[in-house]
Amino acid sequence: MPAEEQSFPSVWARPRRRRREQPALSQEQIVSEALQLLDSEGIDALSMRRLGNRLGAVATAVYWHVANKDELIELVIDEIYGEVEVPEVDDPAAWREAAAATARSLRSMILRHPWIVSVLDEVALCYLGPNLMRASDRMLGVFTTAGFDLVEADQAMKSLVAYVLGMAASEAAMLTRLTRSGRTEQEWVESMSATAEEAARPYPRLHALYAADPFSDPERVRVDNFGYGLDRVLDGLEARRAAAKN
């Protein structure tokens, strides 16, 4: 079906098509191959024709399952949200550890699939995939177990996710650029450290920071920075939780 004829707002809203014979390709095959293409070459490499060629099928075989590229991306996004692990908790004292584990799992998923940050806004109104909804339901469970009512649990969940997406999107963009350059993160830092320190000389606090060589292990710095911000977000939610009890 041509994209201009598509009237459904989401792949999850479109009724399943039926026919007597089985289609040449399954939806699982299409999503798996699309994910491999996205992970190896990025979002710009994805097209229905390119995907059909990789699958050894004409594009019409792909269109049997998805009407257009946007629907395909929705399916792939939901597939990788299945990688996000959200602990189920029944002890209010365990909420913070569970929320932190979820945040780290979400960050790890984004860094494994950095192309996702460029398309999340395209499905922002259509969060209907089963993996994403399952993860969201479990996250609500973490915060309701903590003592938040359902509405505030939703707000707490969205605040936590927004922090993770903001931090991980910046990391993903940087790592994608490094991959294109052919250099490792460590090589890039080492090549820029002297220049950065010199550029910071007119700015005493920045110069002192750069001179202290805080970037000798850039991956560790990223992990530490993420953890610091995560702790502050959770501190705020813990304070709100305590205040709500009083």
Side-chain angles (χ1 to χ4, degrees):
M1 181 186 298
E4 61 270 20
E5 296 181 13
Q6 171 67 9
S7 59
F8 298 103
S10 165
V11 67
W12 308 108
R14 183 162 61 83
R16 292 281 186 177
R17 299 173 65 187
R18 296 181 180 180
R19 67 180 184 184
R20 292 182 180 178
E21 68 274 18
Q22 290 295 318
L25 295 171
S26 69
Q27 181 174 292
E28 290 74 17
Q29 287 175 296
I30 292 169
V31 170
S32 176
E33 192 65 35
L35 179 56
Q36 291 182 44
L37 177 58
L38 286 163
D39 285 347
S40 61
E41 300 186 40
I43 192 66
D44 292 337
L46 181 64
S47 71
M48 304 298 268
R49 184 180 298 276
R50 179 86 182 278
L51 182 59
N53 289 339
R54 286 174 62 106
L55 288 162
V58 295
T60 53
V62 179
Y63 283 120
W64 177 260
H65 295 279
V66 290
N68 51 43
K69 181 177 173 180
D70 289 340
E71 287 195 356
L72 176 61
I73 288 172
E74 282 190 80
L75 291 173
V76 177
I77 286 176
D78 193 65
E79 178 73 14
I80 61 177
Y81 263 101
E83 301 174 8
V84 178
E85 298 180 0
V86 183
E88 294 194 69
V89 295
D90 52 19
D91 179 1
W95 81 269
R96 180 167 178 144
E97 181 180 349
T102 300
R104 289 191 291 268
S105 181
L106 178 57
R107 171 182 177 265
S108 295
M109 180 273 280
I110 293 171
L111 296 186
R112 285 193 298 272
H113 311 288
W115 54 268
I116 192 176
V117 299
S118 65
V119 295
L120 278 176
D121 60 329
E122 298 179 19
V123 294
L125 299 178
C126 303
Y127 285 169
L128 301 176
N131 286 327
L132 182 51
M133 293 188 77
R134 185 180 305 111
S136 297
D137 188 70
R138 286 191 175 185
M139 288 183 69
L140 286 174
V142 170
F143 289 110
T144 54
T145 298
F148 295 103
D149 64 41
L150 194 57
V151 172
E152 192 163 5
D154 181 54
Q155 294 171 329
M157 174 183 71
K158 289 175 178 174
S159 297
L160 180 64
V161 169
Y163 168 73
V164 177
L165 292 181
M167 290 292 286
S170 177
E171 290 183 85
M174 183 269 293
L175 294 174
T176 297
R177 185 172 181 180
L178 282 174
T179 298
R180 291 173 180 164
S181 75
R183 290 193 290 181
T184 67
E185 188 175 5
Q186 187 67 49
E187 289 170 341
W188 183 83
V189 167
E190 290 175 357
S191 70
M192 290 295 296
S193 58
T195 302
E197 184 179 349
E198 182 61 30
R201 283 189 181 280
Y203 312 101
R205 286 169 287 274
L206 276 178
H207 185 254
L209 177 65
Y210 291 172
D213 191 25
F215 307 119
S216 57
D217 185 348
E219 182 177 0
R220 171 50 54 188
V221 169
R222 287 191 290 106
V223 171
D224 289 346
N225 288 344
F226 179 82
Y228 177 86
L230 176 60
D231 282 343
R232 303 295 77 77
V233 171
L234 296 177
D235 285 347
L237 291 174
E238 176 60 49
R240 171 60 190 159
R241 174 176 174 265
K245 284 183 173 182
N246 298 328

